[in-house]
Amino acid sequence: MAPSRNVLVIGGGAAGNALTILLRRSGVAVDLVEARQDWNATAGSGITLQGNALRVLRDLGVWEQISASGYGFGSVGITAPDGTVLHVQDDLRTGGDDLPATVGMQRPQLQQALIDAVRASGATVRLGTTATIVGQDDDGVTVRLSDGHQARYDLVVAADGLNSATRAAIGISDKPEPTGMAIWRVAAPRPRGVTRTDLAYGGPAYIAGYCPTSEDTLYAYVVEANRDRATIPPETYADEMVRLASAYGGHWPEITKTITDPAQVNYTWFDRMLVEGSWHRGRVVLIGDAAHCCPPTLAQGAAMSLEDALVLSELLTANSTWDDTLLNAYYERRIGRVRAVVEASVQLGQWQLDQVRDADVPGLMARTMSQLQERP
Ligand SMILES: Cc1cc2nc3c(=O)[nH]c(=O)nc-3n(C[C@H](O)[C@H](O)[C@H](O)COP(=O)(O)OP(=O)(O)OC[C@H]3O[C@@H](n4cnc5c(N)ncnc54)[C@H](O)[C@@H]3O)c2cc1C
């Protein structure tokens, strides 16, 4: 690979940060632009990271931080709405036997571990900055940054999330579509007895669940049919979540009494999108949620985004010619695996929306997750 190669990464979420770290390791010059001045360092409640995500995070060199600040576990409990445990299922170790099946984490802790690694990688980071593609040819892309800086890159990577402006700018018209569900999420203190994810199906919501994210914390969530956001004033968010969560037993009463601050409660619709055909136009290529997104029914969105970064960096650093053939190879290596995850994640939600009672939920989950044991 030519040592003078340079790449612009647009977006500093899991995908963009991971790609930056991996490319810098191979000596590629990387500029990372991130729209938010705070780099999303304090945003979000919790995240469930399964083995295949942990495997990439270990490759990135941040496993020590993840392991120290997260909460590892190896099973999921299925409960009745009253909290009675109906079934405990062992999670598959999709990242291999030397990693936990699952780690719950506070999102800011994950983001901080990646930010620290990007900073240490020597990439140039511009916060509060966006990028406009001015033009491109067979050799590269000319970009104007919102700070007035103009530069030329061998490759531009759109890691700017599910509403990617870069995706639209290169003529890919796919957009996220609502699946019909929405989720209320909050970070809360961890009751001592919560040592794994428990999911209650039924009751007033489709799913009520929680996931431990550290010795002291968890994140709790309730999934219901989506509603017009304009009809839910943000100052009522805590009341709305408490109204739904109050119907659940087990550890829920202890969790629910801590849900008091509406500013800490997040309300998000579930979306789906899968760009088909190819994930690039010329020298601009999509990774992560910019290329695909799905409801978190398998907790695989960030995992797929991290895997995209890993595969793209492997191809870019192993090949001296960065052309259509290489970027098509990236798409071909990713599409089957990502499609299986997106379709299964959407199906799991759709069965609930359609109130299908005899759906093979464990079978679909097991089939999909077992495919993820193989390296991407
Ligand atoms: C409710 C919910 C729960 C989820 N739970 C899980 C889970 O438990 N496990 C899991 O693996 N996945 C989960 N996911 C999915 C996961 O959050 C995403 O798949 C993942 O964050 C995608 O990472 P990304 O880097 O592609 O995009 P993002 O994290 O969205 O990052 C995009 C970045 O680009 C920046 N940006 C946007 N526009 C521009 C621009 N024009 N210029 C520069 N920067 C820009 C943004 O500020 C942001 O920092 C969940 C998703 C949802 C909605």
Side-chain angles (χ1 to χ4, degrees):
M1 188 193 55
S4 57
R5 284 287 162 79
N6 71 344
V7 171
L8 174 68
V9 175
I10 303 176
N17 290 339
L19 184 72
T20 299
I21 296 160
L22 293 165
L23 290 180
R24 284 298 304 136
R25 196 179 286 166
S26 296
V28 178
V30 183
D31 288 353
L32 171 73
V33 292
E34 163 54 46
R36 288 185 58 107
Q37 194 65 50
D38 66 358
W39 206 341
N40 284 309
T42 57
S45 48
I47 186 160
T48 304
L49 297 167
Q50 317 219 37
N52 62 317
L54 301 176
R55 180 167 55 197
V56 182
L57 291 165
R58 185 177 58 189
D59 289 350
L60 293 172
V62 298
W63 169 239
E64 240 174 72
Q65 294 92 307
I66 304 297
S67 155
S69 55
Y71 191 101
F73 54 97
S75 61
V76 58
I78 306 299
T79 76
D82 69 2
T84 307
V85 177
L86 303 174
H87 180 64
V88 177
Q89 175 77 42
D90 281 343
D91 288 332
L92 215 57
R93 288 180 182 256
T94 50
D97 289 342
D98 50 349
L99 286 168
T102 309
V103 166
M105 275 203 82
Q106 298 171 49
R107 276 191 186 249
Q109 301 266 7
L110 171 63
Q111 180 69 352
Q112 194 58 53
L114 294 172
I115 287 173
D116 291 346
V118 170
R119 291 285 190 204
S121 77
T124 302
V125 178
R126 289 186 168 86
L127 299 178
T129 306
T130 56
T132 306
I133 291 155
V134 176
Q136 60 166 316
D137 53 38
D138 286 349
D139 295 326
V141 190
T142 303
V143 171
R144 191 173 49 250
L145 304 185
S146 54
D147 61 9
H149 186 84
Q150 183 151 320
R152 177 113 178 130
Y153 294 94
D154 295 302
L155 187 77
V156 171
V157 179
D160 47 351
L162 78 164
N163 294 309
S164 171
T166 316
R167 181 181 66 229
I170 59 170
I172 297 179
S173 59
D174 299 68
K175 286 188 183 143
E177 287 171 14
T179 67
M181 288 176 153
I183 187 167
W184 295 93
R185 287 179 292 174
V186 73
R190 180 178 73 91
R192 291 297 102 181
V194 173
T195 56
R196 60 164 190 250
T197 286
D198 282 325
L199 300 170
Y201 291 94
Y206 289 116
I207 305 170
Y210 44 73
C211 167
T213 50
S214 74
E215 279 302 316
D216 302 322
T217 57
L218 55 67
Y219 75 103
Y221 44 92
V222 181
V223 178
E224 62 163 355
N226 60 13
R227 289 186 269 157
D228 182 354
R229 277 187 204 86
T231 65
I232 321 172
E235 61 274 17
T236 67
Y237 275 18
D239 295 341
E240 288 283 347
M241 186 164 178
V242 167
R243 182 179 58 77
L244 289 162
S246 299
Y248 294 89
H251 295 291
W252 274 101
E254 198 175 339
I255 295 167
T256 305
K257 69 174 186 243
T258 69
I259 307 173
T260 52
D261 180 0
Q264 300 304 316
V265 178
N266 176 276
Y267 178 73
T268 309
W269 282 23
F270 285 174
D271 287 308
R272 65 170 299 175
M273 184 192 68
L274 181 60
V275 176
E276 296 267 8
S278 69
W279 288 351
H280 74 285
R281 295 291 183 273
R283 299 291 158 272
V284 182
V285 60
L286 312 178
I287 63 170
D289 274 13
H292 47 78
C293 70
C294 54
T297 42
L298 285 169
Q300 274 292 321
M304 289 298 105
S305 303
L306 290 165
E307 286 189 359
D308 287 353
L310 183 77
V311 170
L312 183 59
S313 78
E314 277 178 14
L315 289 165
L316 292 175
T317 56
N319 291 279
S320 55
T321 309
W322 292 4
D323 58 6
D324 272 350
T325 308
L326 189 76
L327 296 176
N328 279 328
Y330 157 65
Y331 171 79
E332 291 302 336
R333 246 176 87 179
R334 293 301 296 145
I335 188 65
R337 190 165 168 113
V338 171
R339 189 187 288 117
V341 165
V342 169
E343 287 180 354
S345 301
V346 170
Q347 180 66 77
L348 289 166
Q350 194 60 46
W351 276 332
Q352 289 195 291
L353 284 164
D354 296 342
Q355 299 189 340
V356 178
R357 301 267 169 237
D358 56 353
D360 182 17
V361 172
L364 179 58
M365 281 184 166
R367 279 194 303 282
T368 313
M369 296 306 289
S370 67
Q371 291 174 43
L372 303 178
Q373 287 175 294
E374 225 177 276
R375 278 202 157 257

Short mmCIF file of all heavy atoms in Angstrom, two decimals, residues 175-198:
data_model
loop_
_atom_site.label_atom_id
_atom_site.label_comp_id
_atom_site.label_asym_id
_atom_site.label_seq_id
_atom_site.Cartn_x
_atom_site.Cartn_y
_atom_site.Cartn_z
N LYS A 175 -33.54 5.49 2.75
CA LYS A 175 -33.71 6.23 4.01
C LYS A 175 -34.25 5.27 5.06
O LYS A 175 -34.95 4.31 4.70
CB LYS A 175 -34.75 7.34 3.84
CG LYS A 175 -34.26 8.52 3.05
CD LYS A 175 -35.29 9.63 3.11
CE LYS A 175 -34.81 10.79 2.25
NZ LYS A 175 -35.85 11.46 1.54
N PRO A 176 -33.97 5.52 6.34
CA PRO A 176 -34.55 4.66 7.37
C PRO A 176 -36.07 4.73 7.34
O PRO A 176 -36.63 5.80 7.10
CB PRO A 176 -34.01 5.26 8.68
CG PRO A 176 -33.00 6.28 8.31
CD PRO A 176 -33.15 6.61 6.87
N GLU A 177 -36.70 3.57 7.56
CA GLU A 177 -38.16 3.54 7.61
C GLU A 177 -38.59 3.05 8.98
O GLU A 177 -38.03 2.07 9.48
CB GLU A 177 -38.70 2.55 6.57
CG GLU A 177 -38.58 3.04 5.16
CD GLU A 177 -38.92 1.95 4.15
OE1 GLU A 177 -39.50 0.91 4.56
OE2 GLU A 177 -38.60 2.14 2.98
N PRO A 178 -39.60 3.67 9.58
CA PRO A 178 -40.06 3.23 10.90
C PRO A 178 -40.63 1.81 10.83
O PRO A 178 -41.29 1.46 9.85
CB PRO A 178 -41.16 4.22 11.26
CG PRO A 178 -41.08 5.33 10.28
CD PRO A 178 -40.35 4.83 9.07
N THR A 179 -40.35 1.00 11.85
CA THR A 179 -40.90 -0.36 11.87
C THR A 179 -42.25 -0.42 12.58
O THR A 179 -42.91 -1.45 12.55
CB THR A 179 -39.96 -1.34 12.61
OG1 THR A 179 -39.94 -0.98 13.99
CG2 THR A 179 -38.56 -1.33 12.03
N GLY A 180 -42.62 0.65 13.26
CA GLY A 180 -43.90 0.65 13.98
C GLY A 180 -43.74 0.57 15.48
O GLY A 180 -44.71 0.66 16.22
N MET A 181 -42.49 0.38 15.94
CA MET A 181 -42.26 0.31 17.39
C MET A 181 -41.40 1.48 17.85
O MET A 181 -40.71 2.12 17.05
CB MET A 181 -41.54 -0.99 17.75
CG MET A 181 -42.40 -2.23 17.65
SD MET A 181 -41.39 -3.70 17.98
CE MET A 181 -42.63 -4.81 18.60
N ALA A 182 -41.44 1.73 19.15
CA ALA A 182 -40.59 2.77 19.74
C ALA A 182 -40.14 2.29 21.12
O ALA A 182 -40.78 1.42 21.72
CB ALA A 182 -41.35 4.08 19.86
N ILE A 183 -39.04 2.88 21.60
CA ILE A 183 -38.46 2.40 22.87
C ILE A 183 -38.25 3.58 23.82
O ILE A 183 -37.81 4.66 23.41
CB ILE A 183 -37.14 1.66 22.59
CG1 ILE A 183 -36.58 0.99 23.85
CG2 ILE A 183 -36.08 2.57 21.98
CD1 ILE A 183 -35.46 -0.02 23.56
N TRP A 184 -38.59 3.35 25.08
CA TRP A 184 -38.25 4.27 26.17
C TRP A 184 -37.03 3.68 26.87
O TRP A 184 -37.03 2.50 27.21
CB TRP A 184 -39.41 4.36 27.17
CG TRP A 184 -40.65 4.96 26.60
CD1 TRP A 184 -41.70 4.29 26.03
CD2 TRP A 184 -40.97 6.35 26.53
NE1 TRP A 184 -42.65 5.18 25.61
CE2 TRP A 184 -42.24 6.46 25.91
CE3 TRP A 184 -40.33 7.52 26.93
CZ2 TRP A 184 -42.86 7.68 25.68
CZ3 TRP A 184 -40.95 8.74 26.71
CH2 TRP A 184 -42.20 8.82 26.09
N ARG A 185 -35.99 4.50 27.05
CA ARG A 185 -34.76 4.00 27.68
C ARG A 185 -34.29 4.93 28.78
O ARG A 185 -34.41 6.15 28.66
CB ARG A 185 -33.63 3.90 26.66
CG ARG A 185 -33.75 2.79 25.68
CD ARG A 185 -32.60 2.79 24.71
NE ARG A 185 -32.62 3.93 23.82
CZ ARG A 185 -31.67 4.23 22.95
NH1 ARG A 185 -30.59 3.48 22.87
NH2 ARG A 185 -31.75 5.27 22.15
N VAL A 186 -33.71 4.34 29.82
CA VAL A 186 -33.16 5.15 30.91
C VAL A 186 -32.03 4.38 31.60
O VAL A 186 -32.04 3.15 31.64
CB VAL A 186 -34.28 5.51 31.92
CG1 VAL A 186 -34.69 4.30 32.77
CG2 VAL A 186 -33.90 6.68 32.81
N ALA A 187 -31.04 5.11 32.08
CA ALA A 187 -30.01 4.50 32.93
C ALA A 187 -30.49 4.59 34.37
O ALA A 187 -31.11 5.58 34.76
CB ALA A 187 -28.69 5.24 32.76
N ALA A 188 -30.20 3.55 35.15
CA ALA A 188 -30.70 3.51 36.54
C ALA A 188 -29.70 2.74 37.39
O ALA A 188 -28.85 2.01 36.87
CB ALA A 188 -32.06 2.80 36.56
N PRO A 189 -29.79 2.90 38.73
CA PRO A 189 -28.96 2.08 39.61
C PRO A 189 -29.31 0.60 39.43
O PRO A 189 -30.47 0.26 39.18
CB PRO A 189 -29.33 2.56 41.01
CG PRO A 189 -29.95 3.90 40.82
CD PRO A 189 -30.62 3.87 39.48
N ARG A 190 -28.31 -0.29 39.56
CA ARG A 190 -28.54 -1.72 39.38
C ARG A 190 -28.97 -2.36 40.70
O ARG A 190 -28.19 -2.38 41.66
CB ARG A 190 -27.25 -2.41 38.91
CG ARG A 190 -27.41 -3.94 38.71
CD ARG A 190 -26.11 -4.57 38.19
NE ARG A 190 -25.09 -4.65 39.22
CZ ARG A 190 -24.90 -5.68 40.04
NH1 ARG A 190 -25.66 -6.75 39.95
NH2 ARG A 190 -23.94 -5.66 40.95
N PRO A 191 -30.20 -2.89 40.76
CA PRO A 191 -30.55 -3.69 41.95
C PRO A 191 -29.58 -4.86 42.03
O PRO A 191 -29.23 -5.45 40.99
CB PRO A 191 -31.97 -4.16 41.66
CG PRO A 191 -32.52 -3.22 40.63
CD PRO A 191 -31.33 -2.81 39.81
N ARG A 192 -29.14 -5.23 43.23
CA ARG A 192 -28.11 -6.28 43.38
C ARG A 192 -28.46 -7.57 42.65
O ARG A 192 -27.61 -8.29 42.15
CB ARG A 192 -27.86 -6.59 44.85
CG ARG A 192 -27.18 -5.49 45.66
CD ARG A 192 -25.79 -5.16 45.17
NE ARG A 192 -25.81 -3.93 44.36
CZ ARG A 192 -24.76 -3.38 43.77
NH1 ARG A 192 -23.57 -3.97 43.85
NH2 ARG A 192 -24.86 -2.28 43.08
N GLY A 193 -29.76 -7.88 42.59
CA GLY A 193 -30.17 -9.16 42.00
C GLY A 193 -30.12 -9.18 40.48
O GLY A 193 -30.28 -10.24 39.87
N VAL A 194 -29.91 -8.04 39.83
CA VAL A 194 -29.88 -8.02 38.36
C VAL A 194 -28.47 -8.35 37.89
O VAL A 194 -27.55 -7.54 38.02
CB VAL A 194 -30.32 -6.64 37.81
CG1 VAL A 194 -30.12 -6.59 36.30
CG2 VAL A 194 -31.78 -6.36 38.16
N THR A 195 -28.30 -9.54 37.35
CA THR A 195 -26.96 -9.98 36.93
C THR A 195 -26.93 -10.41 35.46
O THR A 195 -25.96 -10.97 34.98
CB THR A 195 -26.49 -11.16 37.80
OG1 THR A 195 -27.47 -12.19 37.72
CG2 THR A 195 -26.29 -10.72 39.25
N ARG A 196 -28.04 -10.18 34.76
CA ARG A 196 -28.12 -10.51 33.33
C ARG A 196 -29.28 -9.71 32.77
O ARG A 196 -30.04 -9.07 33.51
CB ARG A 196 -28.38 -12.00 33.13
CG ARG A 196 -29.67 -12.43 33.77
CD ARG A 196 -30.23 -13.78 33.33
NE ARG A 196 -31.57 -13.88 33.87
CZ ARG A 196 -31.93 -14.71 34.85
NH1 ARG A 196 -31.07 -15.57 35.36
NH2 ARG A 196 -33.17 -14.71 35.29
N THR A 197 -29.44 -9.77 31.45
CA THR A 197 -30.64 -9.18 30.83
C THR A 197 -31.83 -10.07 31.11
O THR A 197 -31.76 -11.30 30.98
CB THR A 197 -30.44 -9.04 29.30
OG1 THR A 197 -29.53 -7.96 29.06
CG2 THR A 197 -31.74 -8.75 28.59
N ASP A 198 -32.93 -9.45 31.53
CA ASP A 198 -34.22 -10.14 31.61
C ASP A 198 -35.19 -9.43 30.69
O ASP A 198 -35.19 -8.19 30.62
CB ASP A 198 -34.78 -10.08 33.04
CG ASP A 198 -34.11 -11.10 33.97
OD1 ASP A 198 -33.76 -12.20 33.50
OD2 ASP A 198 -33.94 -10.76 35.16
#
